[in-house]
Amino acid sequence: MRLRALVVPLLVLVTALAAPEGARAAEAGAARPRSAGGDVHGTAGSCALWSSAAGAYGMRCAGGGTARSYAELLAGAPVPTCWLLPAGGEHDLTPADARPADLGPVPTVQPPAVPAPPPAPEPPAPPVDDPAGSPTGSPEGAPTPPPGVAPTAVPAVEPPPPVDLPEQFLRVCLSPAPDARTLAPAWDTTLLTSTVTLLRRDPRRPPFWWELTTGQRRYLTRAEARGGIVEGTLVTTPSRTPRIGQTVAFSAAAATAPTIALGRSRMRGVLTSLEVRPGEPGRRPVTCAGPGRELRAGEGGRTGPDVCSFRYGRTSAAGTGQTPDTYAVTGTETWRIEASADDGATWEVLREVTRPVRVDLRVTEVQTLVVPLSPARPEGTP
């Protein structure tokens, strides 16, 4: 799979899931992790990808996301930038059931017949002496052609062919034009419609929808899926109210980012690391891989790259949390938005996203229960 970031975002004709959508694209070039704000776009197979700085993501896939590229989907046919539909009907802009019968016969008009030219006059025949010695002509008095000369034939006149009449059609065009190199449509592609008057037999007209190839129609028919990061809840384990000197682990519980799929294409969010600022003055942040591993009571091995372990040295009696007597504990989740065009066999990074998490944490001191000794009894007391 080859993942590319695009300058422009894509046409959607079929929608599957819903989520907020951004409007600004990233610069062109190979997709790579990014921490800057704004939207990032890319491609995977025949899908256009989108991700926002807030952690929402989605893909719009031509042909159901089953092709490895737009060129494979089109199978050598050009990108269909404009096409025609019957005007005035209740048609979807790319109807699957539009057929030539929707248009009816080609309207024509018969031009006026051209009259046949009059026959050319024939030369008079020379007089012939009859036996009586007097010149005579033909029996009707018409000139008689000389022997061996056929009469002049009147040419037949063919009726003129019918003339096509101009018709009105609905023209639908993509705007802006797809990328000339990748053939990928822009994420924010719109359909511009207009009524045009032209001849149905004009070879220069755009194709009708039913004249497009199967690949061209699949290129224009798209499905969409969306997802988004669900930030976790910052907690401490094994105790939710740590004591001074107790080792606890911070973790982002319930942090998820569902995998969305269309055909062979996939998109997901992966939580790569968690950084926590414990809130105790003078203490450094702790960092761990992923969401941080939760600890169980009595469990050993409370350190490691996946454990954000920490020990408080003071109570939160004078803490800065929004709740009295608590520390304001803040954290940062770092996520990768990834895409695959081969059923998840390989993944490439579209961008990097950070999300804040926080909790007001109460830290107490160790309480010791002192049991007084019983007073001495006088001797002889039973």
Side-chain angles (χ1 to χ4, degrees):
M1 180 191 65
R2 183 167 184 80
L3 185 64
R4 302 183 180 92
L6 300 178
V7 177
V8 285
L10 161 70
L11 166 66
V12 182
L13 300 179
V14 181
T15 303
L17 302 175
E21 181 175 332
R24 191 159 59 88
E27 60 179 299
R32 56 188 181 277
R34 303 174 185 204
S35 58
D39 295 345
V40 171
H41 298 87
T43 61
S46 61
C47 297
L49 313 176
W50 160 80
S51 175
S52 74
Y57 50 87
M59 56 185 181
R60 294 174 177 172
C61 300
T66 57
R68 291 174 295 182
S69 66
Y70 291 102
E72 179 184 279
L73 182 66
L74 289 166
V79 173
T81 54
C82 290
W83 60 97
L84 296 176
L85 291 171
E90 295 297 327
H91 292 282
D92 186 277
L93 292 182
T94 54
D97 58 347
R99 295 291 182 268
D102 295 344
L103 298 178
V106 177
T108 59
V109 62
Q110 187 72 36
V114 178
E122 298 179 358
V128 179
D129 292 338
D130 60 11
S134 61
T136 60
S138 62
E140 290 81 13
T144 302
V149 179
T152 303
V154 178
V157 178
E158 295 290 336
V163 177
D164 291 358
L165 292 177
E167 299 177 76
Q168 285 191 338
F169 302 100
L170 181 66
R171 181 173 61 184
V172 187
C173 297
L174 301 183
S175 179
D179 184 87
R181 181 171 58 90
T182 66
L183 308 182
W187 180 273
D188 58 355
T189 293
T190 57
L191 297 176
L192 303 181
T193 61
S194 60
T195 300
V196 295
T197 301
L198 46 80
L199 298 176
R200 197 185 305 184
R201 292 192 175 113
D202 187 346
R204 298 167 297 177
R205 64 165 173 79
F208 288 106
W209 170 256
W210 52 84
E211 294 174 331
L212 299 176
T213 68
T214 300
Q216 287 175 319
R217 279 184 276 185
R218 293 184 67 209
Y219 179 94
L220 295 170
T221 305
R222 304 179 179 278
E224 177 173 2
R226 301 201 183 201
I229 294 171
V230 178
E231 64 186 30
T233 302
L234 195 58
V235 298
T236 58
T237 54
S239 174
R240 298 299 174 92
T241 54
R243 301 184 304 273
I244 293 176
Q246 179 187 15
T247 299
V248 294
F250 295 102
S251 60
T256 60
T259 299
I260 56 176
L262 287 171
R264 294 171 49 86
S265 299
R266 306 282 186 272
M267 202 171 182
R268 69 183 182 184
V270 178
L271 179 53
T272 58
S273 65
L274 174 67
E275 182 184 77
V276 180
R277 294 165 290 280
E280 184 176 356
R283 304 294 296 275
R284 293 182 177 180
V286 293
T287 304
C288 52
R293 178 164 57 89
E294 296 186 4
L295 298 179
R296 297 180 181 180
E299 179 183 0
R302 298 193 173 191
T303 60
D306 60 341
V307 181
C308 285
S309 60
F310 189 78
R311 289 185 183 184
Y312 281 96
R314 315 182 197 177
T315 70
S316 58
T320 57
Q322 297 177 357
T323 304
D325 301 329
T326 60
Y327 284 125
V329 182
T330 58
T332 301
E333 300 172 351
T334 300
W335 295 79
R336 283 200 312 258
I337 307 301
E338 301 177 339
S340 171
D342 52 12
D343 295 315
T346 59
W347 294 87
E348 293 194 23
V349 179
L350 178 65
R351 73 173 305 164
E352 193 173 81
V353 172
T354 57
R355 300 291 300 270
V357 287
R358 71 176 310 279
V359 68
D360 288 340
L361 186 64
R362 188 179 303 278
V363 179
T364 63
E365 59 185 344
V366 177
Q367 299 291 331
T368 303
L369 179 62
V370 178
V371 180
L373 299 175
S374 300
R377 298 179 180 180
E379 291 183 8
T381 302

